[in-house]
């Protein structure tokens, strides 16, 4: 098993304690790693993405301000666990350097392609839609064209071009608390024009993901395909429940699902997942991987209130996904239809 991710200097990691009962994935015992009121004017940080940077890590964090409006804040860490935040929200500019702030911004993902870092988030564009910006130094953040029409959420860029094009997953939606949703793939030669839209995966037949699904962390390149951690939602009589699922997509054509795990990998059961601003939410947004030994740290938002960490190993989790893979016609590549 090979992982094609960049070398890292330090890996946030903890060995599992005790016997695992489901998938080979375990929570960090010191969770949550970011608690309530992380800043004076920010009540909660959750659904956030991190990436190795210089000697440590850098991240983009969904900070829910005290007035309830979410924005993206920059954070830095030496070990990927203890984070220091910039007090001011990220200042986005246009190509000319003029301030160009979205009205709100949430659920950011952070992906490096070649020598540039891209932030992709959800913002207002006549309703919920995708916003994008690029940076090379984490000082200047230049907004790009909005990639998709409204309504859309959970856009996740692939960490390299495939067949010469940028590739992005997204989840077309409505502008509210969308009660439906499949994952689609779009490609672009220049991050301006997007097309060749393909269907990737439908909401699952398994009950834990029967309402909707959405891309989570940037797909991890392995020699067997793109390892995708995504979220799946079940609509219960008491509201939505967000769990983490796993799939493996074809390397050259990621609209093809090779394996899809019928079991959730992680579902809300810890206090910080079950109790909070929105109970019962595990919402993965990023991973850190050690390409030498396959260790993976998954960063996920918990109960729209905290950031938490879970760990797994590439080989074990991929074996588990393959062993429990159930594909159905909703996973067929039928985007041309
Ligand atoms: C989704 C998004 C996420 C959030 C989730 C649960 O629609 O808004 O940011 O974590 O709902 O509230």
């Amino acid at each position: 098993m090979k992982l094609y991710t960049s070398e890292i200097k330090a890996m946030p990691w903890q060995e599992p304690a005790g016997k695992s009962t489901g998938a080979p994935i375990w929570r960090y015992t010191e969770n949550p790693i970011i608690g309530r009121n992380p800043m004076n004017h920010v009540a909660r940080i959750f659904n956030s993405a991190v990436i190795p940077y210089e000697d440590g890590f850098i991240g983009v964090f969904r900070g829910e301000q005290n007035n309830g409006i979410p924005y993206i804040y920059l954070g830095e860490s030496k070990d990927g666990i203890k984070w220091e935040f910039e007090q001011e929200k990220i200042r986005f500019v246009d190509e000319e350097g003029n301030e160009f702030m979205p009205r709100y911004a949430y659920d950011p993902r952070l992906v490096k392609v070649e020598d540039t870092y891209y932030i992709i988030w959800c913002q207002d564009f006549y309703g919920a839609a995708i916003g994008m910006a690029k940076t090379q130094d984490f000082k200047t953040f230049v907004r790009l064209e909005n990639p998709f029409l409204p309504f859309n959420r959970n856009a996740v860029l692939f960490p390299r071009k495939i067949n010469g094009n940028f590739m992005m997953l997204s989840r077309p939606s409505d502008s509210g608390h969308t009660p439906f949703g499949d994952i689609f793939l779009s490609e672009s030669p220049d991050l301006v024009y997007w097309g060749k839209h393909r269907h990737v995966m439908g909401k699952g037949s398994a009950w834990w993901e029967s309402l909707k699904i959405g891309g989570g962390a940037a797909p991890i390149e392995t020699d067997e395909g793109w390892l995708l951690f995504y979220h799946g939602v079940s609509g219960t009589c008491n509201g939505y429940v967000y769990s983490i699922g796993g799939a493996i997509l074809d390397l050259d054509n990621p609209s093809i699902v090779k394996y899809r795990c019928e079991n959730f990998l992680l579902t809300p059961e810890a206090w910080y997942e079950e109790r909070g601003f929105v109970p019962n939410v595990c919402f993965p947004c990023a991973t850190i991987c050690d390409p030498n030994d396959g260790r993976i740290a998954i960063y996920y938002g918990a109960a729209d209130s905290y950031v938490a960490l879970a760990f797994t190993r590439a080989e074990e989790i991929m074996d588990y996904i393959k062993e429990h893979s159930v594909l159905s016609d909703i996973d067929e590549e039928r985007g041309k239809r």
Side-chain angles (χ1 to χ4, degrees):
M1 159 76 42
K2 279 202 176 71
L3 292 193
Y4 300 99
T5 55
S6 46
E7 292 290 330
I8 52 163
K9 298 240 165 85
M11 177 75 194
W13 184 253
Q14 189 178 53
E15 290 295 327
K19 203 173 165 296
S20 143
T21 47
I25 180 168
W26 54 97
R27 294 169 175 83
Y28 182 43
T29 52
E30 306 306 308
N31 273 346
I33 60 167
I34 302 172
R36 297 232 183 194
N37 300 304
M39 287 186 256
N40 225 0
H41 53 295
V42 172
R44 302 179 306 279
I45 281 183
F46 55 101
N47 301 2
S48 301
V50 307
I51 204 164
Y53 187 64
E54 295 180 340
D55 284 343
F57 303 92
I58 202 155
V60 289
F61 294 83
R62 169 177 177 163
E64 218 90 333
Q65 304 173 115
N66 291 350
N67 63 6
I69 299 176
Y71 268 103
I72 305 173
Y73 292 80
L74 199 65
E76 281 187 72
S77 172
K78 292 240 170 330
D79 60 5
I81 293 172
K82 285 183 221 69
W83 289 88
E84 305 265 324
F85 303 107
E86 281 190 8
Q87 297 295 307
E88 290 301 315
K89 49 182 93 100
I90 289 181
R91 184 175 171 271
F92 293 105
V93 297
D94 62 18
E95 293 284 351
E96 280 75 50
N98 303 311
E99 188 165 279
F100 184 24
M101 294 297 281
R103 281 183 48 216
Y104 58 76
Y106 63 82
D107 296 354
R109 311 309 203 270
L110 177 60
V111 184
K112 188 180 185 197
V113 186
E114 294 164 1
D115 61 351
T116 303
Y117 296 86
Y118 296 93
I119 308 176
I120 312 106
W121 67 88
C122 185
Q123 65 173 18
D124 178 52
F125 176 43
Y126 299 88
I130 307 303
M132 255 185 116
K134 63 178 177 181
T135 184
Q136 282 180 320
D137 55 8
F138 288 96
K139 291 187 172 63
T140 306
F141 298 85
V142 181
R143 292 268 298 273
L144 302 170
E145 289 289 336
N146 294 338
F148 306 132
L149 292 167
F151 308 110
N152 205 318
R153 287 193 178 88
N154 297 305
V156 180
L157 192 65
F158 279 72
R160 71 165 168 84
K161 292 179 183 168
I162 300 173
N163 304 319
N165 283 339
F166 291 95
M167 296 277 186
M168 193 142 75
L169 300 174
S170 74
R171 210 281 308 285
S173 65
D174 68 16
S175 202
H177 300 295
T178 315
F180 62 87
D182 291 358
I183 298 178
F184 288 79
L185 179 75
S186 307
E187 52 186 284
S188 169
D190 53 9
L191 294 170
V192 175
Y193 297 98
W194 291 89
K196 287 197 182 171
H197 309 292
R198 297 286 182 267
H199 184 268
V200 181
M201 293 172 24
K203 64 181 183 171
S205 43
W207 286 22
W208 62 271
E209 54 172 347
S210 59
L211 189 78
K212 58 176 171 175
I213 56 173
I220 301 167
E221 185 171 7
T222 78
D223 51 356
E224 293 193 39
W226 295 99
L227 171 59
L228 175 69
F229 296 108
Y230 66 97
H231 69 254
V233 182
S234 147
T236 74
C237 59
N238 263 339
Y240 293 172
V241 176
Y242 283 69
S243 305
I244 302 180
I248 301 171
L249 311 179
D250 185 79
L251 269 187
D252 287 328
N253 179 358
S255 71
I256 298 172
V257 183
K258 288 175 70 176
Y259 305 97
R260 175 175 182 175
C261 189
E262 70 161 337
N263 298 339
F264 54 72
L265 303 182
L266 200 85
T267 201
E269 59 183 57
W271 66 265
Y272 47 87
E273 299 162 351
E274 288 184 335
R275 201 169 78 218
F277 188 72
V278 180
N280 297 317
V281 180
C282 294
F283 196 91
C285 289
T287 57
I288 302 279
C289 309
D290 186 334
N292 297 311
D293 58 14
R295 289 178 300 167
I296 299 176
I298 303 170
Y299 288 77
Y300 64 101
D304 286 12
S305 303
Y306 311 99
V307 173
L309 256 179
F311 304 106
T312 187
R313 285 195 170 82
E315 194 152 342
E316 288 172 40
I317 201 77
M318 289 181 69
D319 283 349
Y320 184 84
I321 292 171
K322 286 192 254 177
E323 237 168 77
H324 299 277
S325 177
V326 176
L327 295 178
S328 59
D329 60 348
I330 47 170
D331 301 316
E332 275 171 16
E333 207 280 324
R334 50 178 185 172
K336 287 181 186 163
R337 205 153 81 175

